[in-house]
Amino acid sequence: MSKIKPAKGSPYARILGVGGYRPTRVVSNEVILETIDSSDEWIRSRSGIATRHWASPQETVAAMSVEASGKALADAGVSPEQIGAVIVSTVSHFKQTPAVATEIAHRIGAVKPAAFDISAGCAGFGYGLTLAKGLVIEGSAQYVLVIGVERLSDLTDLEDRATAFLFGDGAGAVVVGPSDEPAIGPTVWGSEGDKSETIKQTVPWDEYRSTDSDQKFPAITQEGQAVFRWAVFEMAKVAQQALDAAGITAEDLDVFIPHQANMRIIDSMVKTLKLPEHVTVARDVETTGNTSAASIPLAMERLLATGAAKSGDTALVIGFGAGLVYAATVVTLP
C-alpha cells in the first residue's frame, strides 16, 4: 500500500487573467515589399495581414514577457509572490540555457517559483495551459503564469517571398488558478513528426557555427500549401474533438480563438466546423501577424479589451504549427 499522501490541489482550474504586449514599431506591408517582389494586395489576399509589430533591441523576449505578465497579474488580482510556477513557450529565445522563464520570474518579483521553457511552436500556449491546469489541480502550485512570447523578426528571412510577410513579435500571458467548476476542458493534443520538415529552421545552430561567414543567419521556412491543407482539414477535426471532449457543440460556443497563422486558414476552419454566426472569431492576425506561441493569448486579450468577447464566455482555442504539433481545448474566458 502506498505511503504517499494524496495531492491537495483544486478540483478544477481556470484562467483568471490575461495580458498582452505588442512592440511599439508597426510594420506595414510596404516595408516588407522593399525586399520581396510582391504587392500589398497579394499579401492581404494570401494571408489577411496588413501590419505586424517588430521588436526593438530593448524589447527582448524577457522584457515583452514582463510587460504582458504584469497586465495578466493585475487582471487576475494575483500578486507575483503568489505565483508558484512560470511556464514560457518560445522558439526565439536564443540562449539554450538558462531558461528565460527564470529571468522573467525574477523580474516580476515571483519568489522561488518553478520556472521552465517549452518548445512547441505555435501550439506552445496550449501545451503550457495544459501543464498549468495539471499543476493547479495536482497542488504543486496554486497559481501558474503561462507566457507565449516570440521575436520572430529575428528568424525571418526578409528575402523569402513565401514567409517574409508572415511573422510578428509580441507576448501574451495568462494566470491560471483554482476554480470551483470546470473552466479548462480536456486538451486534445499531439504531434505528427512525419511532417516535421514542413515548418523548420533553415540551418541548425551547430551547422551555422561551422560554416563560413557568408552563410545566412538561420530563419524559419515552411511548405505553405502543405501546412495550409494540414491546418484546414486536420485541425478542424482536432477542434471538433476538443468540443466533444468538453461535452459541448459548436452552438454552445461564444468565441473561437485559433492560432493566428493566416486569415484564409481561420476562415476555412470556421466553415469546416460550421460555426454559427453568433460565435465571435478572433482575427488578430490582420494587425499583429503570426506571433506563434503568443498569438492565442494576444488575440484573447484584444477580444476582451475591445468588448468583442466578455468574461465568462465559452471559447474554443487551438494552436498548431512546427513539429507538426497541435493542442486544442475549451476554456471559460477570464
Side-chain angles (χ1 to χ4, degrees):
M1 185 175 181
S2 175
K3 298 180 180 179
I4 300 174
K5 293 181 180 180
K8 294 183 179 180
S10 170
Y12 306 107
R14 70 183 303 117
I15 299 174
L16 299 172
V18 60
Y21 180 82
R22 293 171 174 82
T24 56
R25 182 188 177 193
V26 178
V27 178
S28 67
N29 287 340
E30 283 67 29
V31 172
I32 305 298
L33 295 174
E34 294 174 4
T35 52
I36 61 171
D37 181 16
S38 188
S39 68
D40 177 66
E41 180 183 4
W42 187 88
I43 292 173
R44 289 174 185 258
S45 66
R46 298 283 294 187
S47 68
I49 298 172
T51 59
R52 72 286 291 150
H53 295 254
W54 283 356
S56 68
Q58 292 73 38
E59 291 169 316
T60 63
V61 165
M64 293 190 292
S65 297
V66 168
E67 292 293 329
S69 298
K71 295 176 182 177
L73 289 165
D75 191 43
V78 172
S79 69
E81 294 83 4
Q82 292 176 284
I83 295 296
V86 178
I87 303 171
V88 178
S89 177
T90 184
V91 300
S92 48
H93 175 59
F94 290 162
K95 283 186 180 179
Q96 193 73 33
T97 192
V100 72
T102 59
E103 178 185 348
I104 295 165
H106 173 69
R107 290 177 61 174
I108 65 171
V111 181
K112 297 183 179 179
F116 57 95
D117 299 350
I118 58 176
S119 177
C122 306
F125 175 74
Y127 275 50
L129 185 64
T130 302
L131 294 173
K133 172 188 172 183
L135 291 174
V136 171
I137 293 175
E138 191 271 339
S140 292
Q142 185 176 15
Y143 298 101
V144 181
L145 181 64
V146 180
I147 303 166
V149 57
E150 302 292 2
R151 269 184 58 120
L152 294 181
S153 57
D154 292 334
L155 288 168
T156 299
D157 181 353
L158 295 179
E159 297 178 350
D160 181 0
R161 188 174 184 270
T163 62
F165 57 89
L166 285 175
F167 301 119
D169 302 336
V174 299
V175 175
V176 177
S179 174
D180 293 328
E181 59 183 14
I184 302 175
T187 299
V188 178
W189 58 352
S191 64
E192 297 184 29
D194 59 312
K195 302 179 180 66
S196 62
E197 292 295 301
T198 57
I199 306 175
K200 64 181 182 179
Q201 183 173 309
T202 51
V203 183
W205 294 116
D206 57 346
E207 185 177 324
Y208 175 74
R209 181 179 63 178
S210 64
T211 54
D212 60 56
S213 59
D214 293 331
Q215 171 70 51
K216 267 190 173 183
F217 191 77
I220 297 173
T221 185
Q222 69 176 25
E223 298 173 15
Q225 287 301 313
V227 173
F228 180 87
R229 289 192 297 270
W230 176 78
V232 169
F233 297 108
E234 297 303 319
M235 292 306 96
K237 297 176 186 176
V238 170
Q240 183 59 55
Q241 290 170 16
L243 292 175
D244 296 341
I248 67 172
T249 68
E251 288 288 340
D252 299 314
L253 278 180
D254 300 304
V255 184
F256 178 44
I257 311 177
H259 164 48
Q260 302 294 291
N262 179 304
M263 195 75 78
R264 291 171 62 212
I265 290 175
I266 294 170
D267 291 340
S268 295
M269 290 185 70
V270 169
K271 184 178 180 180
T272 303
L273 286 168
K274 298 180 181 178
L275 296 184
E277 289 187 6
H278 74 262
V279 176
T280 298
V281 179
R283 292 189 170 88
D284 192 46
V285 66
E286 180 180 4
T287 56
T288 306
N290 180 343
T291 56
S292 189
S295 76
I296 290 176
L298 278 174
M300 182 184 296
E301 186 254 2
R302 175 161 281 174
L303 288 175
L304 290 166
T306 60
K310 63 183 184 299
S311 175
D313 278 353
T314 299
L316 169 63
V317 300
I318 180 169
F320 45 86
L324 293 169
V325 295
Y326 55 86
T329 189
V330 175
V331 303
T332 300
L333 294 183

